[in-house]
Amino acid sequence: MAPAAMTFAASLADAQPVPFWLEDPGRPEAQPALTATERCDLLVVGGGYSGLWTALLAKERDPAQDVVLIEGREAGWAASGRNGGFCAASLTHGLGNGLARWPGELAALEEFGARNLDAIEDAVTRYGIDCDFERTGEIDVATEPHHLAELRELHEAAARLGISGMELLDRDAVRAEVDSPTFLGGLWDRHGVAMLHPAKLAWGLKRACLDLGVRVYENTRGLELARSGPGMAVRTPYGRILARRVALGTNVFPSLVRRVRPYTVPVYDYALMTEPLDAGRLASIGWRRRQGLGDSANQFHYFRITADNRILWGGYDAVYPYGGRLSAEMDHRPETYLTLAGHFFHCFPQLEGVRFSHAWGGAIDTCSRFSAFFGTAHGGRVAYAAGYTGLGVGATRFGADVMLDLLDGRPTERTRLEMVRSKPLPFPPEPVAWAGIGLTKWSLARADANGGRRNLWLKTMDRLGLGFDS
C-alpha cells in the first residue's frame, strides 16, 4: 500500500461499519409483527419513505379509512435510513435529466416538486418531527473546466423556465461558501433542497401514522399478493391481510407485482461520516450556511454537514451485483471506503488528521430514466411507485400522492403527466445487464477523465433513453 493510501486507511481505523443515522439513541422500538388475519381498506407494503408517506396521506385524505402498513424489518432501516439526507424538490433527478426526458412539461414538474417540498416542510412542522430539517439549498460544484459550461447551461435553462433562486457562482464565490482548492465554480439552488436527518424523518413519519390510527406491523414481510374476492390478499410469515386496495412502496426489494421487476436494478452506494469537527477545522472550510454539495462528475460525490458538525461524504462508486441479488455482505465495501477517504482529503486537504466514525452502504433502486415510475395492477386494486434512483427523500411524497390518485381511479393533475403515464425501458436479462452496466460505468469514468466527452456507447445509450447513474 502506498504511503498516501496508508494515511487514508488510518483515517478509517475507528469507523464503525453501521449507518450513522440508525445509531441515534432516539430510535423507536419496533411495532409487533402481524400474527393473525387482518382486514383493511388500504394495505401499504413497505415502511420506508414511500410507504410511510402513502399511509399518512391516505389518513389525511380520509381519516375514517382503515389503513394498515407492513414492513419487513423496521421502518426506515433500508435506504430511507442510510441516505445522505438531501431532500430535493426535483422529481426528475435534476434539471438536466428532466430537460432530456420531459422538456414540454418540465415547468409543471418543477412546480409540482416545489409544492411537494413545501408540503414536506409543513408536515415536519405540523407533526413535530425533529429531523434537523434545514432549507439550506444545494450547490452543484464544478471540479473540472468542462463542468463550468454545463452549469452555465443549466442556469440558463432554469431562467427560461422561470425557476427562481438559482445562483451561478464563480471560483471565488463558491470558495467563499465552502473552501476547497478543487472548486472552480458552482450553481447554488437556494430554495430547492433541504438537509435533514433521514432516519429521524422516517421515525417521525411512523409516529405520525400511528397517531392518526394507522396500524403498523414491523418484522412482517409481504410474501405473496393475490386476488381475493373484490379485493386483494397479502400473505405474511405469520398471517394474512385482506384489503380493498394495496399500495406497494417496496422500491429496491422485489416487487410483489412480478412484471414490474425488470424495470429496476439495485445499485449499492456508500458513505463515510467524520467525527465532529472542532471550531478550528470548521473555520478552515467555512460552510457557515450549511448547504448540501455535490460535484458535477458522472461518478459524483455528495457531501453535507450535519447538525453536530460532522461531514458526510458519499457517492462515486455505484456497484451493481450480478443478477441484481441483494445481500447484506454488499452493505460494506472496504475498498470503496478507502477510495472515498482519499477523495475526501483531496477535496479538503486542510482537514488532514480528521478521522471517520462510521462507514456504510446500502442498495438504491435505479431505473433507466433515473426517476420514479408508476402504475397499477390487478384491475386498479394495486398501485406501485419505484425507481427513485437516490432522490427519493423528497420525491417519495409525490409518489405517494400519485399512488393514492391511481387507486382512487379518477384522473388528477398528477396522473395526467406524461412522466406518470409513461414507463422507463426495462433492463435486459443477464448476462446482458451485467455487461451493459459494466461498459456504461467504464465509459462514464472515461468521460470524466476526458473533458466530459461521451464515447459511442454513451451516445447510443442517450439515444435509447437508457443510462446508469452513480
Side-chain angles (χ1 to χ4, degrees):
M1 188 181 293
M6 292 175 64
T7 300
F8 305 150
S11 71
L12 294 162
D14 301 321
Q16 297 298 304
V18 292
F20 168 79
W21 312 113
L22 295 177
E23 275 209 313
D24 193 275
R27 182 174 181 166
E29 293 292 322
Q31 294 295 111
L34 176 73
T35 58
T37 296
E38 294 276 6
R39 296 178 182 273
C40 62
D41 296 319
L42 173 66
L43 170 63
V44 179
V45 181
Y49 296 139
S50 188
L52 291 164
W53 279 119
T54 303
L56 184 66
L57 293 176
K59 291 296 282 188
E60 288 184 347
R61 289 186 181 199
D62 180 5
Q65 185 173 195
D66 186 17
V67 180
V68 168
L69 181 148
I70 61 172
E71 160 56 39
R73 293 278 293 272
E74 294 182 34
W77 78 275
S80 296
R82 297 166 185 255
N83 62 82
F86 288 63
C87 186
S90 177
L91 305 176
T92 61
H93 209 273
L95 191 60
N97 192 52
L99 281 168
R101 300 184 188 279
W102 303 285
E105 67 180 23
L106 186 57
L109 287 168
E110 289 290 312
E111 176 62 24
F112 276 114
R115 283 159 40 189
N116 184 65
L117 182 55
D118 287 344
I120 291 172
E121 184 170 13
D122 176 68
V124 165
T125 301
R126 282 189 295 113
Y127 291 108
I129 299 174
D130 179 15
C131 62
D132 303 332
F133 190 97
E134 297 181 279
R135 195 85 174 252
T136 57
E138 179 181 2
I139 303 175
D140 291 330
V141 294
T143 55
E144 297 290 343
H146 69 274
H147 296 161
L148 294 169
E150 294 168 4
L151 294 180
R152 279 194 297 271
E153 290 175 7
L154 287 176
H155 185 249
E156 292 167 1
R160 288 195 301 271
L161 291 165
I163 300 171
S164 61
M166 304 286 279
E167 181 179 351
L168 198 62
L169 307 175
D170 63 16
R171 178 183 177 277
D172 290 342
V174 73
R175 292 190 62 175
E177 295 296 330
V178 185
D179 192 12
S180 166
T182 68
F183 293 174
L184 305 178
L187 180 61
W188 184 4
D189 180 353
R190 284 180 169 269
H191 309 303
V193 184
M195 298 293 106
L196 52 77
H197 187 302
K200 284 183 176 181
L201 175 61
W203 299 335
L205 291 173
K206 171 185 162 182
R207 191 195 72 235
C209 285
L210 290 167
D211 289 346
L212 291 184
V214 176
R215 285 177 285 149
V216 176
Y217 296 99
E218 293 178 287
N219 295 305
T220 300
R221 184 182 168 199
L223 301 175
E224 185 181 21
L225 174 71
R227 294 281 287 270
S228 177
M232 302 300 300
V234 172
R235 183 171 61 86
T236 72
Y238 308 131
R240 190 170 71 132
I241 305 171
L242 303 174
R244 291 197 306 111
R245 300 178 301 171
V246 177
L248 300 177
T250 49
N251 294 297
V252 77
F253 299 99
S255 177
L256 293 178
V257 176
R258 296 186 66 88
R259 62 180 166 81
V260 176
R261 295 180 186 180
Y263 289 101
T264 64
V265 295
V267 173
Y268 280 83
D269 180 53
Y270 299 91
L272 305 177
M273 185 72 84
T274 72
E275 62 190 347
L277 303 187
D278 60 30
R281 282 170 166 160
L282 279 174
S284 74
I285 56 174
W287 219 339
R288 291 176 296 277
R289 292 196 258 200
R290 307 175 60 81
Q291 308 96 325
L293 286 97
D295 64 54
S296 301
N298 291 307
Q299 292 183 282
F300 64 91
H301 305 87
Y302 55 87
F303 39 117
R304 51 79 57 98
I305 195 163
T306 66
D308 60 347
N309 294 326
R310 301 169 185 264
I311 295 176
L312 177 142
W313 179 267
Y316 188 76
D317 270 349
V319 181
Y320 168 68
Y322 184 86
R325 289 188 294 268
L326 296 170
S327 168
E329 292 182 3
M330 291 289 295
D331 286 348
H332 299 289
R333 198 165 189 264
E335 58 266 44
T336 292
Y337 300 153
L338 190 62
T339 297
L340 286 173
H343 294 171
F344 175 85
F345 290 112
H346 176 68
C347 182
F348 294 120
Q350 63 269 51
L351 297 182
E352 181 181 358
V354 165
R355 297 171 78 86
F356 297 101
S357 62
H358 297 76
W360 72 93
I364 294 168
D365 65 320
T366 191
C367 70
S368 61
R369 72 185 196 186
F370 308 150
S371 50
F373 62 93
F374 316 90
T376 61
H378 294 282
R381 296 171 179 84
V382 177
Y384 57 83
Y388 291 95
T389 317
L391 251 67
V393 180
T396 44
R397 186 192 176 281
F398 174 81
D401 262 329
V402 170
M403 282 195 284
L404 293 173
D405 287 349
L406 292 172
L407 289 173
D408 283 345
R410 291 179 290 104
T412 68
E413 57 179 355
R414 284 179 288 264
T415 61
R416 292 187 185 96
L417 291 166
E418 180 189 349
M419 177 192 178
V420 171
R421 292 184 289 106
S422 63
K423 293 283 194 300
L425 290 173
F427 289 93
E430 298 293 10
V432 178
W434 169 263
I437 289 173
L439 180 55
T440 301
K441 286 187 62 178
W442 177 84
S443 299
L444 290 171
R446 291 273 297 174
D448 283 339
N450 289 282
R453 290 184 290 276
R454 298 173 76 80
N455 63 15
L456 180 61
W457 175 259
L458 292 180
K459 290 177 181 177
T460 302
M461 292 297 98
D462 292 341
R463 285 195 296 270
L464 293 175
L466 287 165
F468 189 74
D469 194 6
S470 64

